[in-house]
Amino acid sequence: MSLLCPLLLALALVAVPGAHGTCPVPADLKKSDGTRTCARLYEKSDPYYDNCCQGPVLSVEPGTDLPYLPSDWSNTASSLVVGQRCEITVWSLPGKHGKTRKFTAGTYPRLEEYRKGIFGDWSDSISALYCKCY
């Protein structure tokens, strides 16, 4: 029985979503010179949390206002990390139109888990954003 307990604990830790994820924690969103990054958008997410926050990255500085995301980022972000004491407001259509949502400081590895109305979610749905820090 004594060997079974550590084995069960190890299996439980592997099965817990986000226990070993690759997404950075909000406190780590800083440039090499120490200045703060408001948020990071990632192109890749996955049903397995360990595989989220990968692929191309769009780093957003505090005070960034993008009513039109660059064409290669419009409706592409699938994972999101918002820095400490920051919030990002996103829109589903260019020009800050359509559905809107605020994400506060935290890690959002699978944007498909966040509803956008009755039938949609926020994965591959961000077309505009505004990010601010306090």
Side-chain angles (χ1 to χ4, degrees):
M1 180 69 178
S2 63
L3 291 175
L4 186 58
C5 289
L7 179 61
L8 290 175
L9 177 62
L11 288 174
L13 288 175
V14 170
V16 173
H20 304 288
T22 59
C23 295
V25 295
D28 291 344
L29 290 190
K30 295 179 183 171
K31 292 184 187 176
S32 58
D33 64 2
T35 57
R36 167 179 3 188
T37 298
C38 186
R40 283 189 192 150
L41 287 77
Y42 297 86
E43 185 178 296
K44 304 276 185 205
S45 73
D46 193 84
Y48 298 102
Y49 286 91
D50 288 350
N51 298 330
C52 293
C53 296
Q54 295 186 13
V57 178
L58 177 65
S59 290
V60 181
E61 304 304 315
T64 298
D65 188 8
L66 292 173
Y68 299 92
L69 285 180
S71 61
D72 55 336
W73 273 99
S74 185
N75 298 321
T76 308
S78 297
S79 299
L80 172 67
V81 179
V82 182
Q84 288 182 321
R85 298 181 307 147
C86 297
E87 77 176 15
I88 187 169
T89 304
V90 297
W91 287 265
S92 62
L93 296 174
K96 296 184 177 178
H97 298 288
K99 302 283 184 186
T100 187
R101 180 180 170 115
K102 288 185 182 181
F103 291 93
T104 57
T107 303
Y108 305 90
R110 298 184 69 228
L111 288 176
E112 54 266 5
E113 294 177 352
Y114 298 90
R115 304 304 315 157
K116 180 184 72 177
I118 296 174
F119 298 111
D121 60 57
W122 282 100
S123 182
D124 299 332
S125 295
I126 298 174
S127 295
L129 63 83
Y130 172 68
C131 203
K132 65 180 179 178
C133 297
Y134 308 100

